Amino acid sequence: MKPSAFEYVRATSVADAIDALARHEFEAKILAGGQSLVPLMNFRLAAPTVLVDTNGVDGLSYIKRTNGTLAFGAMTRQGAIEDSPIVAESCPLLLEATKLVGHRTVRNRGTIGGSIAHADPSAEYPAVLLALDGDVVVEGASGQRVIPASELFLTVCTTSIAPNELLTEVRLPVLPAGTGSAFLELNRRHGDWAIVGAVAVVTVDARGICEEARIALAGVDATPVRCHAAESVLQGEHLTEQVLAEAARQCAGAVHPGDDLHATGDYKRAMVRVFVERALRLARDRCGRIENV
Ligand code: FAD
C-alpha cells in the first residue's frame, strides 16, 4: 500500500517545526522515527496532508541527568536509550522496557517522543511514564508547557498535546536507593506488542517495609492504567508473598479489558493478576534491602 499524497516539510529547528505546525494545524503531523506513522499512512489509517520531519532538528536528541531527573530529547532513539550507561544506572526500568519495544531495527529509528506522543495503550514507554509520574515538555506558538503523565493520555492514540504543539522533552524522576523495578509482558513472540504489560516499582526502607509502590498496566484499556488501590495494599507493609498476591488481585479486579484478536478480556484480566504478581516479586527482589521475607 502507498500513502495518500502529502506535502513534506523538513524542519531544521524547534521554531521551524512549530511554525510549520501553526501554519497547517489539523492537517500536519510530526514525522519522528516513522515506525508508527508511516505504516499507518501506508494502510491509509492516517492521511496527514503535511508531514513535518523533525529528524534534521538539532538539539532534540540527548539524555541528561540533572537534580534527580532524567531528561530525554524527544528525538532520542530507543536504540540510544538501550545503549545509554546513564539509563542503565539511573533508570533500569526504562532499559528493561526498551528491550521489549519491537526489535533493534525498530528501536534504531523509533524515538521516545514518538512513542509517547503516539500513545498506543499497549506500548511500553507510556506505561513507564505513568508509573514513574514523569512529565513531558511541549512547545507551541503560545510557548512552553509541562504536562504530567497523569494528564497526558486521553484515549487510544490520543493525548492532551495540541495539534499545533511539539513534544520536545520527556522527564523521568531518578528513584531513591532501595528501589526495585520490573517490566514484564505477555506476548505471543518476542518483539510483539504487549497483550498485557505490567510495571512494578517498589521502594523499601532498611527494615524491608515498603515506603512507596507504583503499578501501571499496558494493553488492558484505552490508555495505560495506574493501579493506585493496589499500590496502597503494599505501602507500609513487608512485601510478603501474601501481600504481593493481594495487590495483584486488586489490580485484576480494577480493570475490564475487552476481547480482541489475541485474547478474551477474561484471559487478559487473569494475566494481569499473574504478571503483576511476578513483576512485584521481581521488583521486590531487586531492591537489594530485603532478606528472608
Ligand atoms: P512516528 O511514527 O514518527 O510518530 C508517531 C506519532 O507521534 C505520529 O502521530 C507523530 O505525528 C507523533 N509524534 C512523533 N513525535 C512527536 C513529537 N515530538 N511531538 C508531537 N508529536 C509527535 N512500539 C512499542 O511501544 N512496543 C512494541 O512492541 C512495538 N513494536 C513494533 C514493531 C514494529 C515491527 C514496528 C514497525 C513498530 C513497533 N513499535 C512498537 C512502534 C515503535 O515504538 C515506534 O517507534 C513508536 O510507536 C513511534 O515512535 P516514532 O519515533 O517512530 O514516531
Side-chain angles (χ1 to χ4, degrees):
M1 297 272 301
K2 295 223 171 4
S4 43
F6 58 87
E7 187 189 329
Y8 175 82
V9 177
R10 185 165 173 83
T12 53
S13 65
V14 169
D16 213 15
I18 291 170
D19 183 53
L21 288 176
R23 274 186 284 117
H24 301 286
E25 195 135 344
F26 292 101
E27 292 151 29
K29 280 260 174 216
I30 297 292
L31 175 68
Q35 297 301 296
S36 292
L37 183 57
V38 172
L40 286 174
M41 289 174 68
N42 285 344
F43 285 122
R44 305 237 173 163
L45 295 169
T49 52
V50 182
L51 277 194
V52 181
D53 184 349
T54 46
N55 284 274
V57 175
D58 281 339
L60 276 185
S61 181
Y62 55 84
I63 302 171
K64 290 181 201 159
R65 180 179 166 160
T66 38
N67 300 330
T69 300
L70 266 186
F72 301 84
M75 285 299 294
T76 308
R77 309 284 173 190
Q78 296 150 3
I81 292 171
E82 186 173 357
D83 296 340
S84 163
I86 300 176
V87 173
E89 190 200 326
S90 309
C91 193
L93 175 65
L94 188 67
L95 175 58
E96 191 168 31
T98 301
K99 289 179 178 170
L100 296 170
V101 177
H103 297 277
R104 181 69 201 210
T105 45
V106 170
R107 303 194 290 270
N108 283 342
R109 294 297 305 164
T111 64
I112 186 168
S115 177
I116 288 169
H118 186 56
D120 188 304
S122 298
E124 289 81 7
Y125 282 177
V128 169
L129 188 77
L130 190 66
L132 296 185
D133 289 314
D135 299 311
V136 296
V137 181
V138 298
E139 285 185 46
S142 47
Q144 190 185 79
R145 65 191 179 111
V146 177
I147 310 176
S150 58
E151 295 171 17
L152 182 63
F153 303 109
L154 302 182
T155 185
V156 179
C157 295
T158 308
T159 66
S160 51
I161 303 170
N164 60 2
E165 287 178 321
L166 177 73
L167 192 166
T168 53
E169 188 173 88
V170 177
R171 294 176 181 165
L172 297 176
V174 177
L175 299 174
T179 299
S181 63
F183 196 126
L184 294 181
E185 66 183 34
L186 169 72
N187 47 23
R188 285 177 180 270
R189 293 165 303 192
H190 175 76
D192 279 5
W193 298 88
I195 297 171
V196 167
V199 185
V201 184
V202 291
T203 306
V204 298
D205 67 15
R207 296 164 300 154
I209 306 266
C210 179
E211 291 179 326
E212 184 161 38
R214 299 153 179 271
I215 304 172
L217 301 171
V220 297
D221 208 333
T223 63
V225 174
R226 186 80 183 261
C227 303
H228 291 292
E231 292 170 1
S232 55
V233 169
L234 302 164
Q235 268 145 14
E237 299 290 334
H238 275 288
L239 298 179
T240 61
E241 291 297 313
Q242 292 87 331
V243 169
L244 302 188
E246 175 55 22
R249 196 186 65 77
Q250 290 255 357
C251 281
V255 295
H256 306 283
D259 301 346
D260 63 23
L261 277 178
H262 303 290
T264 64
D266 284 346
Y267 179 73
K268 287 188 226 174
R269 195 173 320 111
M271 289 303 103
V272 165
R273 186 170 175 169
V274 171
F275 277 78
V276 167
E277 191 172 334
R278 286 183 194 167
L280 282 171
R281 190 175 298 123
L282 202 50
R284 177 198 67 189
D285 293 346
R286 288 171 172 174
C287 285
R289 279 188 176 169
I290 306 224
E291 287 162 24
N292 303 323
V293 283

